[in-house]
Each structure stands twice: as C-alpha cells, then as structure tokens.
Amino acid sequence: MDKVDVVVIGAGASGLMCAATAGYRGKSVVVLDHANKAGKKILMSGGGRCNFTNMDAAPKHFLSDNPHFCISALRRFSSQDFVDLVDRHGLDYVEKTPGQLFCEHSAKDLLDILLTELEWSGARLKLNTKIHNIDFQDGHTVVKTNQGDFICESLVVATGGLSIPSMGATGFGYDIAKQVGHNILATRASLVPITVQPDRKAQLAELSGIACDIAATANGVTFQEPMLFTHRGVSGPSILQITNFWQPGEALSINISPTLSLEELIDVRQSTPKKSFEGFLSSLLPKRLVDTIKTEFPWLTERSAQTSNEQIDNLFHYLTHFDIAPNGTEGYRTAEVTLGGVNTNEVSSKTFESQKQNGLYIIGEALDVTGWLGGYNFQWAWASGYCAGQYV
C-alpha cells in the first residue's frame, strides 16, 4: 500500500493546481486520473488556445445556490496571481476581448507549465488509473485502484462535472460526495449551444456559419454579444452565456438589431425615401440573413417612401423578437460546464473540506459554482485548487 499525505482524484485544472500547491508545502501528493493524458479539457478549450482566466473575475460572474461561497477563494487567489504564475514561466498570451486571456500559441504551453509545477513540487501523477473503491476510515482514507492501493490523510475530489464525456467526464465525483451524505444540487449542461424546433431548423440551417451581434434575454438577464447560426440551431458567446440563465421551456428573447431603435428605422423612410430598407438592413446584418428576412417582408426591396408605419412596426418587432424557436440544448456532449453539483453549504469556503467527512476536500467544477463564459470557470479552478492546497 502506497502511503501519502494527499490523494487528488482528477488531473484537470483544479486538481493539478491543488496538488502542486500542497506539494510545495512539503506534503507527499499523488494525482490519480483514469484518462491517458492530463488536462484534456485544458487542451481543447478556447479552440485549443485555452481562455485560462479573466482579469475581471469577481463573485458577480458566478452562479451558485450559495452566491457567497466563491468570494473567499477568488480574493485569496486572484486572476493576477495566476498571471504571475504563468509569467514566471514565460507563457506567451494575448487579451482577445477585455479581460479574457488566451495562450498565444497553444493550450499545451499552459498545460506544460502546470505539469512542470507539479514536478517541481514533488507531486506524482498516475494516469490510466481506475478507482475501484474508496474507504473512509478513522483518520485516513484508503483508495483502491487498478494500480495498487493508496492510503492518505486527505482525499481531494477534483473530478469536474459531466461536461464533454468524450474527454472523460463522468459523475464519479458526485458519487464520492453522495457516499458520505452530500446533497447534489440538480445538474444540467450549460454554456452550451441551443437547438431549435424541426420546422425552424430547416430555415436557420441555410444561415449556418454566419454570425451577428444580438441581445439574448432570459429571466431578466441580457447578454449582448455575437450569435452564430449552426446546422443544429444557434451558438456563439451570447447564446452560450444565456444558457446559464435559460432552460428549455422558458421564455428566450433574441434581438438581432440591439443597437437599432424604432425611431431610427422610421427615419430611414424620411431621410432616404428613394432607397430600400433592404439596403439599410444590409449595412447592419449579414446579407444571407437579410435575404431570409426578405422572405417574410418582400416589400424590403421597394423604395422606403412607399412603406407604411404598420410595415415598419412589424419589421422592428421581427428584428427585436427574432424567433429561433428554441427546442433545447446540445447537452453535455458540447457543454463547457455543468451547472449545479455538490451543495456548497456543506463545504468550507475557506479550506474546501467537506462538513460531512473529515479529510475529504471538494474543488472545481464538482461544486455548485459555475462561472460565465470568458475564462471565469478556469479562474475558479485555479482559486479553489490553490486554496484547498493550503489546507490538505
């Protein structure tokens, strides 16, 4: 039996950060993962360049049944703290949109840094490791695997959520938590593309590949960012963001001309009576989208002077209430995160130790903490991993 201070289950963002932090404190640490490679989600995220943090990360960017839970960790390990870490390794990165930092070349550069930190800290990594049983005993835990048994004082669940099962995601972390009596809050796929109803799918599929700035609104929350039409429905930042707040069956409002007012639309007729509304819309929207709108409003090709107030009103309503006929989401297959998870009221916000089982720590996406799109979820992984690493 291999006796260590800390066993970390999961070689993802939070697990690697926790293991290295604990190792630097002089703890003997082993990281176990069933996959054949560490950090698979890191490697594929951000189109292979990994949006590894957001400099604006704050508690307001996270959803949880206990919204105060994330405050402590985000303060103790900030975005700047992580940037300082990668700066020490000379990582080349770029700021795409304000606050969002991506690897300039490849997410592999970031993973190499994490694995280097793991090696320097003295922590060990064991891949292709299947866990058969976890036995919580008085003062220690026995973890039985296909690569031998481990006995530890602290066991860290850093298994992530259910998102992207092709990358190895499972509900194993929830199973461990339930084993000791934790409550798992309802989970669902989030930061995920939206599918549309069959009749609308055929129409929108013709727009596949084009994007436009929109305002998506659900449950009183609005995101004004690009939307991308796909063969299955719609995606893009605004759509992914709104899925943190929208569920199938609820109202979803899409405004494909969020900067346009009714008064401006009426003024087109007055200021350019000889020109068509088709020309005006083409200056705001992709041509293929305008062509689709023309099928609903054939008069768009006529001189604007010939249009009535009612026609303009109907056009404005169509633009500001664009009907995508949402059906559902693409689910965990393509979701970036899992909403819900282990109830944070049962976990210490300071140490991340379970209040149900001494020596059990739960971090990262396994917890009921979900960030917005834009590097926030990685920052939660770094922060929760670092803070737990100080106490295991």
Side-chain angles (χ1 to χ4, degrees):
M1 187 173 291
D2 195 339
K3 187 173 183 179
V4 294
D5 295 322
V6 185
V7 169
V8 177
I9 303 177
S14 63
L16 293 175
M17 175 61 80
C18 180
T21 303
Y24 280 128
R25 290 176 50 230
K27 299 290 184 177
S28 56
V29 184
V30 62
V31 182
L32 309 179
D33 200 298
H34 65 137
N36 60 358
K37 183 183 295 184
K40 282 190 172 183
K41 285 184 74 174
I42 294 173
L43 292 173
M44 60 81 64
S45 67
R49 292 174 61 191
C50 189
N51 179 192
F52 58 83
T53 194
N54 193 304
M55 298 307 293
D56 190 35
K60 67 180 180 180
H61 298 118
F62 294 85
L63 290 78
S64 174
D65 196 57
N66 176 7
H68 300 290
F69 181 82
C70 67
I71 295 174
S72 174
L74 293 172
R75 283 178 177 170
R76 285 182 287 151
F77 192 82
S78 67
S79 305
Q80 187 60 55
D81 289 323
F82 190 74
V83 169
D84 290 344
L85 169 63
V86 298
D87 278 345
R88 289 196 292 273
H89 289 263
L91 177 70
D92 293 325
Y93 55 86
V94 294
E95 184 174 20
K96 281 197 174 179
T97 58
Q100 295 184 22
L101 302 187
F102 288 75
C103 299
E104 184 171 8
H105 305 296
S106 168
K108 185 178 182 299
D109 298 335
L110 177 65
L111 181 58
D112 287 345
I113 288 172
L114 296 172
L115 294 176
T116 297
E117 287 286 323
L118 192 73
E119 181 183 354
W120 288 353
S121 75
R124 291 179 289 151
L125 173 63
K126 295 185 76 68
L127 300 171
N128 299 301
T129 304
K130 182 174 177 58
I131 296 173
H132 299 310
N133 184 63
I134 296 174
D135 184 12
F136 294 98
Q137 301 179 6
D138 187 21
H140 62 272
T141 300
V142 177
V143 182
K144 296 186 176 182
T145 82
N146 64 332
Q147 298 205 44
D149 299 343
F150 299 84
I151 183 170
C152 61
E153 294 180 8
S154 299
L155 177 69
V156 181
V157 173
T159 52
L162 299 168
S163 309
I164 316 184
S166 63
M167 291 288 107
T170 70
F172 185 56
Y174 304 142
D175 294 337
I176 299 172
K178 285 189 282 189
Q179 181 180 332
V180 299
H182 274 288
N183 178 35
I184 310 301
L185 300 184
T187 59
R188 75 172 196 264
S190 196
L191 300 185
V192 60
I194 291 177
T195 58
V196 300
Q197 311 223 358
D199 291 346
R200 191 64 164 138
K201 180 180 177 181
Q203 296 171 312
L204 296 184
E206 297 179 3
L207 301 173
S208 179
I210 71 170
C212 62
D213 285 333
I214 70 154
T217 302
N219 288 308
V221 179
T222 299
F223 288 97
Q224 186 170 324
E225 295 185 72
M227 175 177 77
L228 174 70
F229 290 94
T230 73
H231 287 294
R232 292 177 293 274
V234 288
S235 185
S238 60
I239 296 300
L240 301 186
Q241 292 278 32
I242 207 64
T243 58
N244 263 350
F245 301 89
W246 172 85
Q247 295 189 64
E250 296 179 343
L252 173 62
S253 173
I254 302 294
N255 182 348
I256 60 172
S257 56
T259 62
L260 180 67
S261 68
L262 178 59
E263 290 73 20
E264 288 175 292
L265 202 56
I266 292 173
D267 185 61
V268 172
R269 180 178 58 188
Q270 296 171 341
S271 59
T272 56
K274 293 183 179 181
K275 292 187 177 181
S276 68
F277 275 97
E278 177 187 13
F280 174 75
L281 290 181
S282 295
S283 68
L284 300 177
L285 301 169
K287 184 180 184 304
R288 269 198 288 159
L289 180 53
V290 175
D291 289 341
T292 297
I293 297 172
K294 277 163 50 183
T295 64
E296 301 284 336
F297 302 95
W299 53 263
L300 288 178
T301 59
E302 301 172 2
R303 290 183 176 185
S304 60
Q306 297 176 264
T307 58
S308 67
N309 286 341
E310 182 180 2
Q311 287 175 315
I312 295 175
D313 285 343
N314 290 340
L315 174 62
F316 185 71
H317 185 271
Y318 177 91
L319 297 173
T320 56
H321 297 79
F322 188 78
D323 183 19
I324 62 167
N327 188 43
T329 74
E330 292 190 5
Y332 292 118
R333 183 180 66 84
T334 59
E336 295 200 15
V337 294
T338 303
L339 252 172
V342 177
N343 190 340
T344 56
N345 289 312
E346 302 166 352
V347 177
S348 167
S349 62
K350 179 180 179 181
T351 66
F352 288 83
E353 186 173 17
S354 163
Q355 295 174 3
K356 302 286 187 179
Q357 174 65 55
N358 291 338
L360 174 64
Y361 296 77
I362 306 172
I363 60 176
E365 192 182 349
L367 292 166
D368 172 39
V369 177
T370 304
W372 292 9
L373 181 74
Y376 299 107
N377 287 291
F378 272 115
Q379 184 55 37
W380 173 245
W382 314 134
S384 60
Y386 174 85
C387 292
Q390 299 289 334
Y391 291 95
V392 292

